[in-house]
Structure formats: C-alpha cells, structure tokens
Amino acid sequence: FFSSVKMGPADPILGLGLAFNADTDPKKVNLGVGVYRGDDGKPFVLESVKKAGGAYPHMEYAPISGPPGFVGKAQGLAFGENSTAIKQKRIASTQSLSGTGGLRVVSDFLARFLPSKKIYVPNPSWGNHLNIFKDSGLDVQRYSYFDASKNALNFEGILKDLNAAPKDSIVLLHACAHNPTGIDPTKEQWAEIINLVSTKQLFPFVDMAYQGFASGDLDRDAYALRSLTETVPNLALAQSFAKNFGLYGQRIGAAHFVCKDAEEADRVLSQVKILIRPMYSNPPIHGAHIVDTILSNPDLTKLWKSELKDMADRMNNIRGRLVQELAALGSTRDWSHITKQIGMMAFTGMSKAQVDRLKAEFHVYMTDDGRAAISGLNSQNVQYVAKAFHEVTK
Ligand code: PMP
C-alpha cells in the first residue's frame, strides 16, 4: 500500500536540529531552531511556569475552543485589557495548538469563507508559513520586505507591493520581531502600512509569535496589532505562547477573529468550532492551565513579566557581545545590523556557502538563509561563534 510513497525532504529548520544532534564535536553550536536557552546553554523553564504547573484541577476534556478562562486571558494579553473590541464581545477566539496550530485554523477558516484565496506573505518569512497556507488551499503571493543590499527594511517595496494587491486579498503581517529578519517597521511606518491595508480593503492576518520577546514589553510589542484592531473592521490573529512563556512543547496558543459585532463573532466562532472538531476535537489542557494560572495571579504575572524582560535583555546583550567580539577579531565587515535587529533571530547576511562552511568547519548550525537564532549564543560560546563568523566572511 505504501510502495508509491516517495521520500520527502527533511524540514529545513527541524532537520537542522537532527544534523546538530548527530554531530559529535564538543564545540558544536545550534543557532538553528528558535528556542530560548539560558546563559548556560541549557533548555530554560521559567520559575513562574514551574510555580503554576503543579496543582491540577482535573483531566477532563476542554471545550472545542479551549477553557474560557484561558481564552479570555489570551485575548487580554494580545488586544489589551482595555480593548473596546473585547468589551464589545466582538472577538471570536479559540485555543490553538501553539502558533502553528493557530495559523492553520485561521488559514483553513479564511480559505473556507473569504472571497479571495490570495495571501500576501512577506519575502522572506518564517518558512512554515508557506507550507501552512498552501496546505490550507490559499494562493500564496509574496510582498517585498527586506533590502539585502542594506540589511534593512524595504519599506517602499512593502507599500508598492501591497498597493498592487487586489481588494480582499489576505496580508500576513508579523506583529513584532519579524522572523527571519529581526527587523520591524517603525510606528510611523506601521501607520502607513495599516492605512494602506485599510484603504485597499485587504484582510490583515497577524502572526504574533514573539509578544514581549522583542522589547521585553508586552504592550509595546502588541502595538501594530492593537492599532490595526482600531482601524480595520476585521482581522485574524494567530498567537503563540511558545516563546514568551517558554512553553514550546506544550503547544499552547490561540486564534482570534476580530468581527464587526458580537453577533458576527458568535457566527464566526460556531464555524471555527465546526472546523476544529473533526481535526483534533478539543485542545490539550496543561499549557492552557499554566498560562491561565500565571495570568490570574498578580504575583505570578509580575514574576513572569520580569522573566520575560530578562530573556529579551539577555538576547539584546548577547547581540552586542557578538558584534564586539567580531570587531575585536578585526572583522572589517559591517555587523551593526545584528544589534539593530530585535527578537530571537539575527539575519546575518551570510550566504549559503558561508553557512555551509560554518557547519562543516566550525560545527555552527544555522539556516541556509543566514538566519541565526541568537538564543543559542551564550558567554561560553559567543567568542567561538564570532571567530567562526569572521573566518567564513574574511
Ligand atoms: N510564527 C513565527 C513567525 C514563528 O517564528 C514561529 C516559531 N518559530 C511560529 C509562528 C510558531 O511557533 P509555535 O507553533 O511553536 O508556536
């Protein structure tokens, strides 16, 4: 029965992790997958999560759209406690299997109900976006995002391409800490993008995988989402708690649909449930319990926010260290973009050939597009990685 099944390629990011695990060199460094590590290089469980994860009320099924307590907290975090859209009960929300599951539920919903199947995705974007949208049956188009010659945002390109997108097209927007470039529009640039999306009647689909991870400030990182919510009649959001709560393997997130009014939100949520029920019936409960417990307890919320800030600060500091080490080694290349970028990723500007050399000669692993997960750097390996970067870019 399976004889005609052909071997498929390994996932470019997760496949890299397998290659890293198989590497026996003690100097090896994994800058492939975007997972936070402490300065000791070890996986990191937040204290707030440890405190919230213990006592457990039950092991029963959650509703199809997740426990209402958790879903309400997820809404508040994304849209803000004082959000009028929340007060007006016009956001249809469901728990999702982390950000990826949220993206998939939203894109399946959009493919089923929106008038246009065209989705404009920034170039570059997180690789899995393309798989998700194609698998949902959407027609993937790209819009310019990055100017490789300047290692900077291609703002004119964004405006030009979105201006040319037909009315009703879906536009994928990274809320903050754009992956892989680490470059976000400024507030002024966001205002122009949002104005364009609104006047051209495009449908914004926001991916927020790094709230709090970009600046250490949850509200600041939600700026674009909240500004959009005040401006456009409808939007969708995929929200992940993998990075900001360090709950990667718990697969905890949410999908939200901002609607015209509460009646529309009820209709939308009914269809979201109809979509989810035959897929996985209802979501896992543990991650939702942890997030809900932390956000329901002021002491735990305070602890969590300070831990989130510490993680964001560590990544910003290690960016600075990397650039300093490169200068100390005598690199004449301009690496300043690394400190200008934010979040978990550094888009180094290195070529595939240089990335291949890093892997083969230095056992430093990163994706072919030159993206390095800064979270894999620490005070023990930053000098070694700087030396490797310098050697392959001389
Ligand atoms: N969106 C972006 C931009 C991401 O970088 C990631 C994780 N790398 C995700 C979504 C989804 O992650 P998860 O499914 O683990 O929440």
Side-chain angles (χ1 to χ4, degrees):
F1 285 99
F2 297 142
S3 52
S4 64
V5 177
K6 293 202 181 70
M7 189 66 192
D11 181 85
I13 300 178
L14 301 183
L16 204 61
L18 299 180
F20 174 81
N21 290 341
D23 188 332
T24 52
D25 194 291
K27 294 191 296 301
K28 67 180 179 177
V29 181
N30 189 355
L31 306 180
V33 66
V35 170
Y36 183 80
R37 296 270 187 265
D39 194 53
D40 58 3
K42 301 223 168 79
F44 193 75
V45 182
L46 275 65
E47 278 309 309
S48 50
V49 165
K50 283 187 202 155
K51 289 192 169 144
Y56 215 73
H58 66 79
M59 293 286 165
E60 310 266 296
Y61 291 127
I64 298 175
S65 54
F70 159 78
V71 175
K73 290 287 183 300
Q75 276 186 349
L77 208 58
F79 295 95
E81 291 304 334
N82 298 318
S83 154
T84 37
I86 295 180
K87 285 189 189 131
Q88 292 166 344
K89 299 193 187 319
R90 58 185 181 87
I91 308 181
S93 300
T94 177
Q95 185 181 330
S96 64
L97 305 185
S98 210
T100 307
L103 287 163
R104 184 59 192 262
V105 164
V106 170
S107 65
D108 278 5
F109 180 91
L110 301 183
R112 202 172 272 193
F113 293 105
L114 252 53
S116 170
K117 307 287 169 251
K118 277 195 194 325
I119 182 164
Y120 284 75
V121 180
N123 190 12
S125 200
W126 180 48
N128 209 20
H129 280 147
L130 306 185
N131 307 328
I132 294 168
F133 304 143
K134 281 185 195 150
D135 276 3
S136 289
L138 293 176
D139 170 15
V140 176
Q141 309 282 323
R142 307 306 296 265
Y143 65 92
S144 310
Y145 190 84
F146 183 66
D147 181 343
S149 67
K150 297 190 191 129
N151 265 318
L153 191 75
N154 181 1
F155 183 56
E156 295 310 316
I158 297 178
L159 295 184
K160 183 168 161 280
D161 291 352
L162 293 188
N163 203 33
K167 172 180 171 290
D168 296 333
S169 302
I170 305 159
V171 184
L172 193 272
L173 299 163
H174 295 228
C176 62
H178 179 273
N179 179 5
T181 65
I183 303 171
D184 291 341
T186 62
K187 276 193 178 182
E188 292 71 28
Q189 289 170 332
W190 267 123
E192 279 195 57
I193 294 169
I194 291 169
N195 183 41
L196 181 63
V197 166
S198 168
T199 51
K200 293 282 300 181
Q201 297 179 47
L202 306 175
F203 180 92
F205 178 1
V206 182
D207 180 5
M208 188 156 69
Y210 297 95
Q211 188 186 4
F213 238 74
S215 67
D217 179 329
L218 289 152
D219 295 323
R220 196 188 307 171
D221 288 355
Y223 166 80
L225 169 73
R226 293 179 191 172
S227 174
L228 259 171
T229 307
E230 282 168 17
T231 314
V232 297
N234 293 116
L235 65 83
L237 168 70
Q239 177 185 27
S240 170
F241 297 121
K243 322 275 160 153
N244 51 12
F245 282 86
L247 289 171
Y248 308 88
Q250 287 288 349
R251 313 307 295 139
I252 180 69
H256 308 270
F257 300 81
V258 174
C259 302
K260 172 167 101 253
D261 52 32
E263 183 272 335
E264 186 174 271
D266 283 347
R267 282 187 280 113
V268 167
L269 188 60
S270 74
Q271 292 295 344
V272 170
K273 289 186 197 165
I274 287 169
L275 201 149
I276 289 173
R277 175 69 168 149
M279 262 204 282
Y280 55 86
S281 192
N282 42 49
I285 53 177
H286 194 55
H289 169 69
I290 294 171
V291 171
D292 191 11
T293 306
I294 292 176
L295 296 179
S296 303
N297 175 321
D299 289 337
L300 286 180
T301 307
K302 197 167 157 222
L303 174 61
W304 168 62
K305 285 185 180 169
S306 75
E307 294 189 283
L308 183 56
K309 174 99 178 44
D310 288 347
M311 291 193 285
D313 286 350
R314 190 184 92 71
M315 283 185 294
N316 280 332
N317 293 338
I318 205 77
R319 282 176 189 277
R321 264 296 294 285
L322 177 64
V323 174
Q324 270 171 19
E325 295 292 348
L326 281 158
L329 288 163
S331 176
T332 52
R333 207 177 150 103
D334 179 8
W335 295 98
S336 61
H337 53 282
I338 292 193
T339 40
K340 284 189 205 129
Q341 295 165 358
I342 49 168
M344 203 179 241
M345 303 303 170
F347 211 42
T348 61
M350 279 190 267
S351 65
K352 178 169 183 319
Q354 289 166 331
V355 169
D356 286 344
R357 268 192 74 195
L358 281 175
K359 207 181 320 177
E361 291 174 35
F362 297 95
H363 309 270
V364 173
Y365 290 74
M366 46 197 262
T367 49
D368 286 349
D369 55 3
R371 186 197 82 164
I374 273 310
S375 46
L377 289 175
N378 55 53
S379 38
Q380 289 89 57
N381 65 19
V382 64
Q383 222 169 7
Y384 174 72
V385 169
K387 186 164 180 304
F389 279 16
H390 180 45
E391 288 299 327
V392 303
T393 55
K394 263 182 184 169

PDB file of all heavy atoms in Angstrom, residues 144-147 152-160 185-186 188-193:
ATOM      1  N   SER A 144       7.487  42.382  -1.043  1.00  0.00           N
ATOM      2  CA  SER A 144       8.864  42.700  -0.647  1.00  0.00           C
ATOM      3  C   SER A 144       8.883  43.083   0.819  1.00  0.00           C
ATOM      4  O   SER A 144       7.930  43.696   1.312  1.00  0.00           O
ATOM      5  CB  SER A 144       9.400  43.878  -1.449  1.00  0.00           C
ATOM      6  OG  SER A 144       9.176  43.670  -2.801  1.00  0.00           O
ATOM      7  N   TYR A 145       9.950  42.747   1.500  1.00  0.00           N
ATOM      8  CA  TYR A 145      10.053  43.124   2.909  1.00  0.00           C
ATOM      9  C   TYR A 145      11.459  43.601   3.276  1.00  0.00           C
ATOM     10  O   TYR A 145      11.626  44.476   4.104  1.00  0.00           O
ATOM     11  CB  TYR A 145       9.678  41.929   3.805  1.00  0.00           C
ATOM     12  CG  TYR A 145       9.534  42.320   5.268  1.00  0.00           C
ATOM     13  CD1 TYR A 145       8.340  42.849   5.745  1.00  0.00           C
ATOM     14  CD2 TYR A 145      10.595  42.202   6.161  1.00  0.00           C
ATOM     15  CE1 TYR A 145       8.194  43.249   7.066  1.00  0.00           C
ATOM     16  CE2 TYR A 145      10.470  42.601   7.486  1.00  0.00           C
ATOM     17  CZ  TYR A 145       9.267  43.113   7.932  1.00  0.00           C
ATOM     18  OH  TYR A 145       9.119  43.508   9.243  1.00  0.00           O
ATOM     19  N   PHE A 146      12.451  42.998   2.602  1.00  0.00           N
ATOM     20  CA  PHE A 146      13.818  43.157   3.079  1.00  0.00           C
ATOM     21  C   PHE A 146      14.711  43.616   1.938  1.00  0.00           C
ATOM     22  O   PHE A 146      14.596  43.126   0.813  1.00  0.00           O
ATOM     23  CB  PHE A 146      14.288  41.788   3.589  1.00  0.00           C
ATOM     24  CG  PHE A 146      15.655  41.765   4.176  1.00  0.00           C
ATOM     25  CD1 PHE A 146      15.927  42.442   5.347  1.00  0.00           C
ATOM     26  CD2 PHE A 146      16.685  41.057   3.559  1.00  0.00           C
ATOM     27  CE1 PHE A 146      17.197  42.420   5.904  1.00  0.00           C
ATOM     28  CE2 PHE A 146      17.951  41.025   4.111  1.00  0.00           C
ATOM     29  CZ  PHE A 146      18.204  41.706   5.286  1.00  0.00           C
ATOM     30  N   ASP A 147      15.594  44.576   2.258  1.00  0.00           N
ATOM     31  CA  ASP A 147      16.562  45.029   1.272  1.00  0.00           C
ATOM     32  C   ASP A 147      17.918  44.443   1.662  1.00  0.00           C
ATOM     33  O   ASP A 147      18.576  44.927   2.579  1.00  0.00           O
ATOM     34  CB  ASP A 147      16.596  46.569   1.279  1.00  0.00           C
ATOM     35  CG  ASP A 147      17.563  47.119   0.245  1.00  0.00           C
ATOM     36  OD1 ASP A 147      18.421  46.349  -0.243  1.00  0.00           O
ATOM     37  OD2 ASP A 147      17.458  48.317  -0.065  1.00  0.00           O
ATOM     38  N   ALA A 152      18.261  46.015   5.579  1.00  0.00           N
ATOM     39  CA  ALA A 152      17.258  46.891   6.193  1.00  0.00           C
ATOM     40  C   ALA A 152      15.873  46.589   5.625  1.00  0.00           C
ATOM     41  O   ALA A 152      15.739  45.858   4.638  1.00  0.00           O
ATOM     42  CB  ALA A 152      17.627  48.342   5.925  1.00  0.00           C
ATOM     43  N   LEU A 153      14.873  47.183   6.262  1.00  0.00           N
ATOM     44  CA  LEU A 153      13.502  47.032   5.784  1.00  0.00           C
ATOM     45  C   LEU A 153      13.358  47.674   4.403  1.00  0.00           C
ATOM     46  O   LEU A 153      13.857  48.779   4.181  1.00  0.00           O
ATOM     47  CB  LEU A 153      12.561  47.742   6.773  1.00  0.00           C
ATOM     48  CG  LEU A 153      11.068  47.499   6.602  1.00  0.00           C
ATOM     49  CD1 LEU A 153      10.709  46.115   7.116  1.00  0.00           C
ATOM     50  CD2 LEU A 153      10.264  48.561   7.350  1.00  0.00           C
ATOM     51  N   ASN A 154      12.662  47.011   3.519  1.00  0.00           N
ATOM     52  CA  ASN A 154      12.368  47.601   2.205  1.00  0.00           C
ATOM     53  C   ASN A 154      10.966  48.217   2.279  1.00  0.00           C
ATOM     54  O   ASN A 154      10.000  47.651   1.771  1.00  0.00           O
ATOM     55  CB  ASN A 154      12.453  46.506   1.131  1.00  0.00           C
ATOM     56  CG  ASN A 154      12.173  47.054  -0.254  1.00  0.00           C
ATOM     57  OD1 ASN A 154      11.931  48.241  -0.424  1.00  0.00           O
ATOM     58  ND2 ASN A 154      12.211  46.175  -1.239  1.00  0.00           N
ATOM     59  N   PHE A 155      10.903  49.350   2.945  1.00  0.00           N
ATOM     60  CA  PHE A 155       9.591  49.943   3.222  1.00  0.00           C
ATOM     61  C   PHE A 155       8.860  50.331   1.939  1.00  0.00           C
ATOM     62  O   PHE A 155       7.663  50.077   1.788  1.00  0.00           O
ATOM     63  CB  PHE A 155       9.772  51.150   4.154  1.00  0.00           C
ATOM     64  CG  PHE A 155       8.484  51.776   4.552  1.00  0.00           C
ATOM     65  CD1 PHE A 155       7.489  51.025   5.167  1.00  0.00           C
ATOM     66  CD2 PHE A 155       8.238  53.125   4.307  1.00  0.00           C
ATOM     67  CE1 PHE A 155       6.275  51.603   5.539  1.00  0.00           C
ATOM     68  CE2 PHE A 155       7.034  53.705   4.674  1.00  0.00           C
ATOM     69  CZ  PHE A 155       6.048  52.948   5.280  1.00  0.00           C
ATOM     70  N   GLU A 156       9.603  50.929   1.004  1.00  0.00           N
ATOM     71  CA  GLU A 156       8.967  51.322  -0.271  1.00  0.00           C
ATOM     72  C   GLU A 156       8.401  50.094  -0.968  1.00  0.00           C
ATOM     73  O   GLU A 156       7.321  50.135  -1.560  1.00  0.00           O
ATOM     74  CB  GLU A 156       9.998  52.014  -1.193  1.00  0.00           C
ATOM     75  CG  GLU A 156      10.523  53.339  -0.651  1.00  0.00           C
ATOM     76  CD  GLU A 156       9.395  54.266  -0.214  1.00  0.00           C
ATOM     77  OE1 GLU A 156       8.409  54.365  -0.959  1.00  0.00           O
ATOM     78  OE2 GLU A 156       9.494  54.858   0.884  1.00  0.00           O
ATOM     79  N   GLY A 157       9.164  48.999  -0.910  1.00  0.00           N
ATOM     80  CA  GLY A 157       8.735  47.742  -1.551  1.00  0.00           C
ATOM     81  C   GLY A 157       7.450  47.201  -0.929  1.00  0.00           C
ATOM     82  O   GLY A 157       6.548  46.723  -1.623  1.00  0.00           O
ATOM     83  N   ILE A 158       7.351  47.311   0.395  1.00  0.00           N
ATOM     84  CA  ILE A 158       6.132  46.847   1.089  1.00  0.00           C
ATOM     85  C   ILE A 158       4.933  47.634   0.549  1.00  0.00           C
ATOM     86  O   ILE A 158       3.926  47.053   0.135  1.00  0.00           O
ATOM     87  CB  ILE A 158       6.228  47.065   2.625  1.00  0.00           C
ATOM     88  CG1 ILE A 158       7.368  46.251   3.233  1.00  0.00           C
ATOM     89  CG2 ILE A 158       4.892  46.713   3.291  1.00  0.00           C
ATOM     90  CD1 ILE A 158       7.542  46.457   4.739  1.00  0.00           C
ATOM     91  N   LEU A 159       5.072  48.966   0.551  1.00  0.00           N
ATOM     92  CA  LEU A 159       3.945  49.814   0.129  1.00  0.00           C
ATOM     93  C   LEU A 159       3.582  49.543  -1.333  1.00  0.00           C
ATOM     94  O   LEU A 159       2.401  49.415  -1.679  1.00  0.00           O
ATOM     95  CB  LEU A 159       4.292  51.292   0.312  1.00  0.00           C
ATOM     96  CG  LEU A 159       4.512  51.769   1.751  1.00  0.00           C
ATOM     97  CD1 LEU A 159       4.748  53.271   1.767  1.00  0.00           C
ATOM     98  CD2 LEU A 159       3.333  51.418   2.665  1.00  0.00           C
ATOM     99  N   LYS A 160       4.609  49.417  -2.163  1.00  0.00           N
ATOM    100  CA  LYS A 160       4.360  49.219  -3.599  1.00  0.00           C
ATOM    101  C   LYS A 160       3.610  47.902  -3.831  1.00  0.00           C
ATOM    102  O   LYS A 160       2.596  47.855  -4.528  1.00  0.00           O
ATOM    103  CB  LYS A 160       5.708  49.207  -4.321  1.00  0.00           C
ATOM    104  CG  LYS A 160       5.624  49.077  -5.817  1.00  0.00           C
ATOM    105  CD  LYS A 160       6.995  49.386  -6.446  1.00  0.00           C
ATOM    106  CE  LYS A 160       7.085  48.845  -7.845  1.00  0.00           C
ATOM    107  NZ  LYS A 160       7.368  47.405  -7.903  1.00  0.00           N
ATOM    108  N   PRO A 185       8.828  47.303  11.086  1.00  0.00           N
ATOM    109  CA  PRO A 185       8.565  48.691  10.729  1.00  0.00           C
ATOM    110  C   PRO A 185       8.540  49.551  11.998  1.00  0.00           C
ATOM    111  O   PRO A 185       8.222  49.058  13.082  1.00  0.00           O
ATOM    112  CB  PRO A 185       7.159  48.644  10.097  1.00  0.00           C
ATOM    113  CG  PRO A 185       6.945  47.206   9.721  1.00  0.00           C
ATOM    114  CD  PRO A 185       7.716  46.405  10.716  1.00  0.00           C
ATOM    115  N   THR A 186       8.876  50.835  11.849  1.00  0.00           N
ATOM    116  CA  THR A 186       8.729  51.768  12.973  1.00  0.00           C
ATOM    117  C   THR A 186       7.233  52.069  13.151  1.00  0.00           C
ATOM    118  O   THR A 186       6.416  51.723  12.287  1.00  0.00           O
ATOM    119  CB  THR A 186       9.436  53.112  12.659  1.00  0.00           C
ATOM    120  OG1 THR A 186       8.795  53.677  11.508  1.00  0.00           O
ATOM    121  CG2 THR A 186      10.916  52.920  12.381  1.00  0.00           C
ATOM    122  N   GLU A 188       5.761  54.881  12.786  1.00  0.00           N
ATOM    123  CA  GLU A 188       5.312  55.721  11.668  1.00  0.00           C
ATOM    124  C   GLU A 188       5.083  54.861  10.423  1.00  0.00           C
ATOM    125  O   GLU A 188       4.114  55.040   9.692  1.00  0.00           O
ATOM    126  CB  GLU A 188       6.360  56.806  11.341  1.00  0.00           C
ATOM    127  CG  GLU A 188       6.527  57.877  12.413  1.00  0.00           C
ATOM    128  CD  GLU A 188       7.211  57.366  13.680  1.00  0.00           C
ATOM    129  OE1 GLU A 188       8.016  56.403  13.590  1.00  0.00           O
ATOM    130  OE2 GLU A 188       6.918  57.899  14.765  1.00  0.00           O
ATOM    131  N   GLN A 189       5.996  53.913  10.208  1.00  0.00           N
ATOM    132  CA  GLN A 189       5.836  53.032   9.038  1.00  0.00           C
ATOM    133  C   GLN A 189       4.612  52.123   9.198  1.00  0.00           C
ATOM    134  O   GLN A 189       3.864  51.901   8.249  1.00  0.00           O
ATOM    135  CB  GLN A 189       7.110  52.196   8.833  1.00  0.00           C
ATOM    136  CG  GLN A 189       8.279  53.036   8.330  1.00  0.00           C
ATOM    137  CD  GLN A 189       9.597  52.282   8.352  1.00  0.00           C
ATOM    138  OE1 GLN A 189       9.803  51.363   9.165  1.00  0.00           O
ATOM    139  NE2 GLN A 189      10.510  52.672   7.483  1.00  0.00           N
ATOM    140  N   TRP A 190       4.391  51.646  10.424  1.00  0.00           N
ATOM    141  CA  TRP A 190       3.192  50.835  10.673  1.00  0.00           C
ATOM    142  C   TRP A 190       1.937  51.636  10.323  1.00  0.00           C
ATOM    143  O   TRP A 190       1.000  51.122   9.734  1.00  0.00           O
ATOM    144  CB  TRP A 190       3.125  50.364  12.129  1.00  0.00           C
ATOM    145  CG  TRP A 190       3.736  49.015  12.396  1.00  0.00           C
ATOM    146  CD1 TRP A 190       4.736  48.734  13.283  1.00  0.00           C
ATOM    147  CD2 TRP A 190       3.379  47.758  11.781  1.00  0.00           C
ATOM    148  NE1 TRP A 190       5.031  47.387  13.248  1.00  0.00           N
ATOM    149  CE2 TRP A 190       4.218  46.777  12.348  1.00  0.00           C
ATOM    150  CE3 TRP A 190       2.459  47.381  10.803  1.00  0.00           C
ATOM    151  CZ2 TRP A 190       4.153  45.422  11.976  1.00  0.00           C
ATOM    152  CZ3 TRP A 190       2.390  46.033  10.428  1.00  0.00           C
ATOM    153  CH2 TRP A 190       3.229  45.077  11.010  1.00  0.00           C
ATOM    154  N   ALA A 191       1.940  52.916  10.739  1.00  0.00           N
ATOM    155  CA  ALA A 191       0.751  53.742  10.483  1.00  0.00           C
ATOM    156  C   ALA A 191       0.452  53.768   8.984  1.00  0.00           C
ATOM    157  O   ALA A 191      -0.705  53.647   8.568  1.00  0.00           O
ATOM    158  CB  ALA A 191       0.975  55.145  11.028  1.00  0.00           C
ATOM    159  N   GLU A 192       1.505  53.872   8.181  1.00  0.00           N
ATOM    160  CA  GLU A 192       1.282  53.904   6.720  1.00  0.00           C
ATOM    161  C   GLU A 192       0.822  52.555   6.189  1.00  0.00           C
ATOM    162  O   GLU A 192      -0.055  52.477   5.323  1.00  0.00           O
ATOM    163  CB  GLU A 192       2.579  54.316   6.008  1.00  0.00           C
ATOM    164  CG  GLU A 192       2.800  55.806   6.028  1.00  0.00           C
ATOM    165  CD  GLU A 192       3.867  56.239   5.035  1.00  0.00           C
ATOM    166  OE1 GLU A 192       3.740  55.948   3.825  1.00  0.00           O
ATOM    167  OE2 GLU A 192       4.855  56.846   5.489  1.00  0.00           O
ATOM    168  N   ILE A 193       1.417  51.495   6.702  1.00  0.00           N
ATOM    169  CA  ILE A 193       1.035  50.145   6.244  1.00  0.00           C
ATOM    170  C   ILE A 193      -0.434  49.887   6.604  1.00  0.00           C
ATOM    171  O   ILE A 193      -1.228  49.419   5.784  1.00  0.00           O
ATOM    172  CB  ILE A 193       1.959  49.071   6.872  1.00  0.00           C
ATOM    173  CG1 ILE A 193       3.387  49.225   6.364  1.00  0.00           C
ATOM    174  CG2 ILE A 193       1.426  47.662   6.572  1.00  0.00           C
ATOM    175  CD1 ILE A 193       4.430  48.388   7.109  1.00  0.00           C
TER     176      ILE A 193
END
